[in-house]
Amino acid sequence: KEYLNLLAPGLSTEKYPPRLEITHEWVEKQLGSLEISLPESFFVFTPGAIFGPAKQWPLEHFRTLATLLHNVFGDPILILGTEADVKSGAEISLGLDFVQNYCGQTSLSELLAILAKAKLLVGNDSGSMHLMSALQRPQIAILDQPLPTGLHQSILMRLYLAAIYPAHPVFQELDVFSNYDCLKLIEPELVLEETLKLLTEKNQTEA
């Protein structure tokens, strides 16, 4: 928002939100260097968050959601992130042959190319969330509270982005930045429900 004001007073992030425009050729070039064989259709999970557990949806919820999504859509799930997320990815994918853990195996440009081809991203308040929003691709961002006004809110208002956060009165008594329990109350079934709505909306828009 501050940078927009340098260009001209009154410009808003609602009208000029961050946007990444990439070509099919660029995407294929990045994927050409991958040792990963991408499926035709897939979901992506990014379970990491730079601020740690206070911003992370429980791994067991990601694991449950993976099974729910696979039962409904039949598509595999790719887990992406940094080397710091390898252990989390391994825990989510343990024993699930339709979930592949690729944390720590992609560069930033390769991550971007994979996100551009994903059916939908499910992740926390992280860099991947902002990348997917700038790509204008479908995602579910799981947050510990509504974001304040300004740049972040405008990103969350982008097309095909559903922001889910705890809306129960109990959260008025919790410190959402330090209390991990608030994210536990966002059930995988709710995320599945929002996924179905989001993809239905996308299909109707593109029809």
Side-chain angles (χ1 to χ4, degrees):
K1 188 172 183 179
E2 292 176 1
Y3 287 117
L4 284 174
N5 285 332
L6 292 176
L7 296 174
L11 292 180
S12 67
T13 53
E14 286 76 15
K15 291 184 178 179
Y16 300 95
R19 181 171 180 174
L20 284 171
E21 295 185 2
I22 57 178
T23 64
H24 173 76
E25 289 74 20
W26 184 89
V27 170
E28 293 304 316
K29 181 179 180 181
Q30 308 312 310
L31 297 179
S33 61
L34 277 177
E35 296 182 1
I36 300 171
S37 179
L38 291 182
E40 185 68 25
S41 179
F42 59 91
F43 291 91
V44 168
F45 287 177
T46 52
I50 193 169
F51 293 108
K55 293 286 187 179
Q56 290 175 301
W57 202 41
L59 297 180
E60 60 267 28
H61 283 2
F62 273 109
R63 184 175 169 82
T64 299
L65 178 63
T67 299
L68 292 173
L69 287 174
H70 188 259
N71 288 343
V72 172
F73 295 95
D75 294 323
I77 292 91
L78 309 186
I79 306 177
L80 301 177
T82 66
E83 291 184 359
D85 303 314
V86 171
K87 186 176 179 181
S88 296
E91 185 173 333
I92 295 170
S93 61
L94 182 64
L96 302 178
D97 58 6
F98 50 87
V99 181
Q100 301 299 318
N101 178 22
Y102 293 127
C103 292
Q105 299 183 41
T106 61
S107 65
L108 179 59
S109 59
E110 290 166 344
L111 167 65
L112 189 61
I114 295 174
L115 291 179
K117 294 180 74 72
K119 175 178 285 188
L120 177 134
L121 167 70
V122 179
N124 304 305
D125 183 1
S126 66
S128 297
M129 176 191 75
H130 296 290
L131 286 176
M132 198 65 161
S133 179
L135 287 170
Q136 301 182 88
R137 297 288 298 155
Q139 69 169 309
I140 303 292
I142 303 173
L143 311 174
D144 57 356
Q145 65 170 2
L147 291 179
T149 58
L151 176 61
H152 292 293
Q153 186 182 47
S154 68
I155 288 177
L156 289 175
M157 291 170 60
R158 292 300 296 274
L159 187 63
Y160 303 151
L161 173 58
I164 297 178
Y165 56 86
H168 195 280
V170 69
F171 298 119
Q172 297 176 6
E173 303 175 7
L174 298 178
D175 178 358
V176 295
F177 287 104
S178 63
N179 197 313
Y180 181 57
D181 289 339
C182 68
L183 288 176
K184 289 182 179 180
L185 297 182
I186 303 176
E187 297 291 342
E189 290 76 12
L190 173 60
V191 180
L192 175 64
E193 180 182 334
E194 290 300 314
T195 297
L196 292 169
K197 291 179 183 177
L198 201 57
L199 293 180
T200 298
E201 175 189 342
K202 176 179 181 292
N203 291 335
Q204 291 175 346
T205 301
E206 294 179 347

